[in-house]
């Protein structure tokens, strides 16, 4: 059984993380100070340093658990032998869209704050290593769909695919429609977008776009 002191410490830590998330989403990560987080959390800034080395540590505490859960979902879907490669890509895409819309106030923090290039070989931050792993799973499924071996072209296609997903998110992030209703209404359109994108990639690989007059 936890002591009262341990329970209070956990509650304080939880409140600090919640305040950080709220302020990061409202003002942007770079604009928020440790003192502002402390004020919102109802503690002193020195209290925050008892639990977190710096603001970067707070970013990790806030972002890593949900991203790790998403990573596990991606791995499970990518290993499903009962799905075709195209269906895997659709399911991973819908999972990503659902995750981001569910966390619409924070998904930009989760994926973009302190981010590096997706082809960074040895990112310093653990959160960037996880972000790249998520992207690599998407890229691997695109490779399966297209049977593509050219790494440079695969990376370009994966980036275009990712731009497409984030275009969807930018369109629907501010909808007040309940998430379940939104996903039910638009899933056929999201799936169609993936189909059309893959058709375009296939046409490009076959040289069709280069041969048009």
């Amino acid at each position: 059984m936890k002591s009262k002191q341990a329970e209070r410490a956990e509650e304080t830590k939880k409140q600090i993380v919640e305040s950080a998330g709220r302020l990061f989403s409202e003002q942007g990560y770079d604009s928020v100070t440790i003192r502002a987080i402390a004020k919102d959390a109802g503690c002193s800034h020195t209290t925050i340093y008892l639990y977190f080395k710096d603001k970067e540590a707070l970013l990790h505490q806030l972002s890593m658990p949900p991203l790790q859960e998403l990573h596990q979902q991606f791995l499970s879907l990518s290993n499903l032998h009962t799905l075709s490669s195209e269906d895997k890509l659709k399911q991973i895409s819908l999972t990503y869209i659902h995750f981001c819309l569910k966390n619409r106030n924070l998904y930009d923090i989760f994926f973009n704050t302190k981010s590096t290039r997706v082809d960074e070989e040895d990112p310093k931050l653990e959160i960037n290593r996880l972000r790249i792993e998520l992207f690599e799973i998407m890229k691997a499924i695109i490779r399966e769909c297209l049977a593509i071996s050219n790494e440079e072209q695969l990376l370009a296609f994966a980036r275009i695919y990712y731009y497409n997903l984030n275009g969807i998110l930018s369109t629907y992030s501010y909808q007040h429609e309940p998430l379940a209703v939104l996903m039910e209404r638009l899933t056929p359109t999201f799936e169609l977008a993936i189909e059309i994108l893959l058709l375009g990639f296939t046409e490009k690989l076959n040289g069709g776009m280069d041969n048009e007059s």
Side-chain angles (χ1 to χ4, degrees):
M1 186 175 179
K2 292 179 182 176
S3 67
K4 294 275 188 185
Q5 184 177 1
E7 288 179 357
R8 283 197 299 271
E10 281 193 10
E11 184 58 36
T12 299
K13 187 175 180 180
K14 180 182 176 183
Q15 184 58 55
I16 290 168
V17 173
E18 288 178 354
S19 292
R22 180 165 53 253
L23 294 177
F24 289 165
S25 67
E26 292 173 355
Q27 301 176 27
Y29 175 84
D30 291 331
S31 299
V32 176
T33 64
I34 289 291
R35 288 184 181 275
I37 295 169
K39 182 178 179 181
D40 190 86
C43 65
S44 70
H45 71 280
T46 54
T47 299
I48 291 182
Y49 290 119
L50 292 175
Y51 304 105
F52 303 101
K53 182 178 72 172
D54 51 26
K55 198 166 67 168
E56 220 168 71
L58 266 169
L59 172 66
H60 276 71
Q61 181 66 34
L62 177 71
S63 304
M64 289 297 288
L67 289 180
Q68 286 167 338
E69 183 178 342
L70 181 64
H71 184 255
Q72 285 303 311
Q73 290 177 304
F74 273 24
L75 286 176
S76 297
L77 288 169
S78 67
N79 291 324
L80 274 179
H81 301 300
T82 54
L83 292 180
S84 68
S85 298
E86 183 173 317
D87 284 338
K88 284 182 189 177
L89 191 64
K90 286 179 180 178
Q91 289 303 310
I92 280 176
S93 302
L94 292 173
T95 298
Y96 177 80
I97 291 167
H98 185 277
F99 172 86
C100 291
L101 292 179
K102 180 181 176 183
N103 298 283
R104 63 188 70 193
N105 293 330
L106 284 170
Y107 85 84
D108 188 56
I109 301 294
F110 290 164
F111 289 100
N112 296 322
T113 297
K114 306 286 287 185
S115 63
T116 59
R117 289 171 46 155
V118 293
D119 56 350
E120 180 77 34
E121 291 187 2
D122 187 24
K124 176 184 174 184
L125 298 181
E126 183 183 4
I127 190 172
N128 283 328
R129 291 195 291 272
L130 183 53
R131 288 163 171 166
I132 290 172
E133 285 177 22
L134 289 164
F135 182 80
E136 286 295 320
I137 293 173
M138 295 174 173
K139 191 172 78 170
I141 303 302
I142 292 172
R143 185 199 298 276
E144 281 185 26
C145 290
L146 301 174
I148 182 172
S149 58
N150 184 305
E151 290 296 327
E152 187 175 336
Q153 195 164 38
L154 175 62
L155 178 59
F157 284 177
R159 280 176 165 149
I160 292 167
Y161 157 78
Y162 194 62
Y163 301 157
N164 182 71
L165 290 185
N166 284 284
I168 290 171
L169 293 174
S170 68
T171 302
Y172 294 105
S173 290
Y174 300 101
Q175 292 279 345
H176 297 295
E177 195 171 3
L179 177 57
V181 175
L182 184 67
M183 292 300 297
E184 182 178 2
R185 181 169 67 86
L186 291 171
T187 286
T189 303
F190 297 156
E191 291 183 336
L192 181 60
I194 301 302
E195 291 174 17
I196 292 171
L197 199 62
L198 287 175
L199 283 172
F201 289 159
T202 301
E203 181 73 8
K204 180 65 177 176
L205 287 172
N206 292 335
M209 294 181 180
D210 294 330
N211 295 330
E212 290 178 358
S213 58

